[in-house]
Amino acid sequence: MSLANPSQARRVALIVAIAFFMQNLDGSIINTSLPQIAASFGVAPLDLSIGVTAYLVTVAAVLPASGWVADRYGARRVFLAAILLFTLASLGCGLAASLPQFVAARVVQGIGGALMTPVGRMVVLRNAQKSELLQATALITWPALLAPVIGPVLGGFITTYASWRWNFLLNLPLGLIGLAAVVRFVPVLPAEVRRPFDHRGFLLSAGALVLLLVGLEGLARVQARPLLPVSLTLLGLAAGALAVWHLRRTRAPLVDLATLRTQTFTVSSLGAGFLYRIAINATPFLLPLLFQLGFGMDAAGAGLLVLAYFLGNLAMKPLTSPLLRRFGFRGVLVVNGVLGGGAILACGWLAPGTPSAVLTPLLFAAGLTRSMQLTCLNTLAFADVEAAQRSAATTLSGVSQQVSSVLGIAVAAVLLNLASLWRGAAEPGLPDFLPAFVAVGLLAVGSGLAFLRLPESAGAEVSGAAGSSSRRAQTSSSRPQGR
């Protein structure tokens, strides 16, 4: 199903973006208030990590089934249920009087969050024609760009001047607005063809994701001993291999891997795009630490510097469509990818004495390239996906983004820890950020160049470059052929 009215398609995408913003903001805001939550419950701050882990594990466990649930009960109905669950669970978190109550509410939040992102993306895909896909994807991408930047700053302000509980209660008005908007403006989407639930595929894929994400999250902890998280990560990879083996051979798989035959989807979600997402997710983790541990700034000062990075993300939005129409997906992904990697590399040489005239434009440029690359990847992934494969594509894309997000932070943390161990230091300092930024920057440059594998016409129907390509082809075919 697709909407004939482009303005209504944009409206649907904006409504989905509100829900995405609520989810992304919640994920980035909680870490700033963990000590205060621990004090309220009378436990040690490290004990509160179970609240983060409970959410992560629940999302990992439920995510593989999201596509099947949407097909079985209808994407709009499931999206409404996801927003409602997430909102009620946020209220539960804000009112929790003990650690067990808080963890239980976070588990319910995880169920809502696991369904919200892939099913919300499915709602957008089913309500937008290909010519509207770029603009719709740009709208649902901005929460992933905005929330991780403003979340820690907003969370610190709320925790300091109000209460940590308002970090969760803030989701109530957002959730109510989202629910009302979906009921009012999003058309009813019929359920797809029903198929039996693949219990074995669910257990294997959910188990693989839980082990993998918990292992990677453990590697991202500075004080963690590496043996357990490395073991969990390896077990997760083994379970993932078994899950793929099963999904390829069963008659009615939980996730149809035939979607991987679509080159644009595979490259942007599981190939070069996956590697670039690791670099994209590592950079916002490294920058605040650089300013605090390396420059000696407080959290507020570091937040103000990261604001330039955020402004670059926003400033690129109006330029995305014109650039894609002019140069196409391949050209933009290659050039912008290399430029983004160069900006990340340059951050490694920042020092407390770096002039603001250099520091601020560099952060702004890094934000520009991050925004462009994310929008291109999110759009190109679904440019050639057929209607029958959208459910599987949204599930696989959600898994890819979840893993790359945690992996980006884990890679950055491991690089910092290794560099500090090499120096014999107890914790990371300014010299340790150079190798971390260099490694992440080179990963971005290399994956940017890997997009050269795409054909020049990749996603042309979506980018708007198809018209010029077809005119060139027509002009060429109309010329007299000499012998």
Side-chain angles (χ1 to χ4, degrees), residues 221-467:
R221 297 182 182 276
V222 177
Q223 293 87 4
R225 295 186 177 184
L227 181 60
L228 178 60
V230 168
S231 300
L232 291 175
T233 302
L234 292 176
L235 285 173
L237 291 173
L242 286 175
V244 171
W245 181 85
H246 168 79
L247 293 173
R248 283 181 169 174
R249 284 160 178 78
T250 191
R251 177 177 297 181
L254 181 68
V255 181
D256 186 2
L257 299 184
T259 310
L260 299 179
R261 299 189 190 119
T262 305
Q263 183 190 23
T264 48
F265 176 82
T266 302
V267 171
S268 51
S269 294
L270 302 175
F274 179 79
L275 296 176
Y276 206 97
R277 286 181 190 276
I278 293 175
I280 284 177
N281 288 302
T283 307
F285 173 81
L286 287 171
L287 283 173
L289 289 179
L290 170 66
F291 299 141
Q292 293 180 66
L293 299 180
F295 288 20
M297 302 176 68
D298 58 20
L304 288 175
L305 280 181
V306 177
L307 185 62
Y309 186 64
F310 152 66
L311 292 175
N313 283 285
L314 287 186
M316 179 53 78
K317 286 303 174 192
L319 302 176
T320 302
S321 296
L323 287 173
L324 282 173
R325 279 197 298 269
R326 175 66 181 85
F327 300 105
F329 277 103
R330 188 181 76 163
V332 171
L333 283 169
V334 171
V335 175
N336 184 75
V338 172
L339 290 175
I344 295 172
L345 278 167
C347 289
W349 279 271
L350 293 175
T354 302
S356 298
V358 174
L359 176 59
T360 304
L362 175 60
L363 294 176
F364 187 78
L368 287 173
T369 54
R370 176 176 182 252
S371 175
M372 172 64 84
Q373 205 76 354
L374 264 183
T375 301
C376 289
L377 291 175
N378 289 342
T379 307
L380 182 62
F382 298 96
D384 300 320
V385 173
E386 300 297 331
Q389 297 177 327
R390 285 172 181 166
S391 172
T394 52
T395 301
L396 288 171
S397 177
V399 169
S400 170
Q401 293 185 31
Q402 189 77 14
V403 173
S404 65
S405 176
V406 179
L407 187 56
I409 296 173
V411 166
V414 168
L415 289 170
L416 284 179
N417 288 337
L418 289 176
S420 60
L421 285 173
W422 181 266
R423 289 193 306 115
E427 63 177 22
L430 181 60
D432 304 317
F433 285 91
L434 175 58
F437 275 112
V438 167
V440 172
L442 289 177
L443 176 63
V445 171
S447 54
L449 292 173
F451 288 110
L452 287 169
R453 296 174 51 200
L454 288 170
E456 187 178 356
S457 60
E461 186 179 353
V462 172
S463 67

Side-chain angles (χ1 to χ4, degrees), residues 47-260:
D47 294 337
L48 254 295
S49 64
I50 190 175
V52 178
T53 305
Y55 180 86
L56 183 74
V57 168
T58 307
V59 170
V62 177
L63 187 58
S66 59
W68 183 90
V69 173
D71 286 347
R72 174 66 177 79
Y73 299 103
R76 178 182 182 268
R77 185 182 301 170
V78 174
F79 189 57
L80 274 170
I83 297 175
L84 181 60
L85 271 179
F86 196 90
T87 305
L88 291 176
S90 297
L91 176 62
C93 289
L95 298 179
S98 65
L99 181 58
Q101 292 179 12
F102 181 75
V103 171
R106 288 289 286 171
V107 169
V108 179
Q109 255 194 333
I111 297 173
L115 295 173
M116 195 183 300
T117 299
V119 178
R121 187 174 288 110
M122 196 181 302
V123 169
V124 172
L125 289 173
R126 291 179 180 175
N127 285 283
Q129 300 174 0
K130 281 198 173 184
S131 60
E132 304 159 355
L133 189 58
L134 176 59
Q135 187 174 38
T137 303
L139 283 173
I140 63 173
T141 299
W142 68 261
L145 299 170
L146 174 60
V149 179
I150 71 168
V153 178
L154 180 62
F157 180 85
I158 291 175
T159 302
T160 301
Y161 297 104
S163 166
W164 65 265
R165 298 182 185 274
W166 284 101
N167 287 330
F168 296 98
L169 298 178
L170 186 66
N171 290 333
L172 296 183
L174 290 174
L176 292 174
I177 291 171
L179 286 169
V182 172
V183 171
R184 173 66 178 84
F185 295 110
V186 177
V188 175
L189 298 170
E192 299 290 324
V193 178
R194 296 183 180 182
R195 63 186 190 276
F197 187 73
D198 179 14
H199 294 87
R200 184 175 297 177
F202 172 71
L203 291 174
L204 285 172
S205 55
L209 275 177
V210 168
L211 290 169
L212 186 60
L213 293 184
V214 172
L216 292 174
E217 199 261 348
L219 287 174
R221 297 182 182 276
V222 177
Q223 293 87 4
R225 295 186 177 184
L227 181 60
L228 178 60
V230 168
S231 300
L232 291 175
T233 302
L234 292 176
L235 285 173
L237 291 173
L242 286 175
V244 171
W245 181 85
H246 168 79
L247 293 173
R248 283 181 169 174
R249 284 160 178 78
T250 191
R251 177 177 297 181
L254 181 68
V255 181
D256 186 2
L257 299 184
T259 310
L260 299 179

